[in-house]
Each structure stands twice: as structure tokens, then as C-alpha cells.
Amino acid sequence: MKVFINPGHALGGDPDPGAGGNGMRECDIAMTVGALAGKYLTAAGCEVDLLQSDNLMGESPDYPCVVSTANASGADVFVSIHCNAGGGHGTEVEVYDNSGGQSVQLAECILAQITDSVGTTRRGINSRSGLAVLRGTTMPAVLVELAFIDTAADANLLANCQDDFARSIARGITDYERMVIA
């Protein structure tokens, strides 16, 4: 299986670091978790491409384009990694349309692994047809909101459990792979 991982927001935080809170930046957490997940997936026999870029659909030509790069990669699945903000708690996974299909299956596998392994609150699988990375990709695609960077308890998990989040994402993807092949 080939997996395309997109740690959210701009590499190094310029021009967009994403959400911030509790002394952390979303772009940094997403990159660390994404790189670790890629390492675990590679060890499990998957091929992995990783791209963190603020250019999602070609709107910022100075940066690599996430959607066109993912679509040209031959990836079987697309996983974008983010941190939520706004004062809530827990993990949620966004898909283009949550009425069924392979993206929902992938989302369920990843969400179950994170909430079971890391212990975050399960916020569910949500339809987000307006998100460029879900709308524009041609393979099953999900956007994982790990936890809330601006809530103390969740921020503690984001600071101290990045490896656990990464392992959970990798296990969720391999769970999905086994389900699709079965």
C-alpha cells in the first residue's frame, strides 16, 4: 500500500503555522507525528510520501502543491494531520462525505486506534466537503484532528504523546489495508 501523508500547514510555519496554544504550533506537531507515522508505515511494508506545504490546490505557486502531488503519486490513501482549536476536547476525523465509502472506513480505523490507544475523547467522523485536500484528492482521503492544541489536557497529550498518535495513525492505516484486502 502507498500512503500519502500531509502534515498540516506550512513547513517551518511560514507563512501559516496553523493553530497555536500552550507554547506549541500546529505545523510542528503535525510534522513530527506525520514523520513518525511514515516511519512506522515504512517498517510495516508500506510506501510513504510526505509533504507539508501551505499550497493546497495551486493557490500559492511558490510552494509544492499538496493535492496535485498526492494525485500524481499513485497513493492508495491520503492522510492529512492537524491539531484542532477552539476550546474543545478530543479527536475527530474529517472526510469529504461521511455517508459511507472507503474514506469513512479509513477514518473509522484511524479514529478507533487513536481514541483507544491515546485515550482522547471520540468526537466522530464529520463531512467537510469544503476542505481542499478532501475535495481535490482522487484516493480515499481523511483529515485527522489529533486533539485541541488550545485546551490544557489535550495540549498535554499533543506535547507528550506524539509517538502514540503516530503509531495509532499507522495502525489505523494498516487496519484499513487489511479490511480492504479481506
Side-chain angles (χ1 to χ4, degrees), residues 12-39:
D14 183 27
D16 177 19
N22 295 289
M24 297 179 291
R25 298 185 315 172
E26 180 178 7
C27 63
D28 300 328
I29 293 166
M31 180 52 108
T32 299
V33 172
L36 287 168
K39 179 182 88 167

Side-chain angles (χ1 to χ4, degrees), residues 8 19-20 26 28 54 60 70 76-77 84 86 98 102-103 106 125 143:
E26 180 178 7
D28 300 328
D54 201 46
S60 302
D76 297 299
V77 297
N84 221 334
N98 71 353
Q102 291 186 334
S103 293
L106 175 61
I125 299 169
L143 186 147

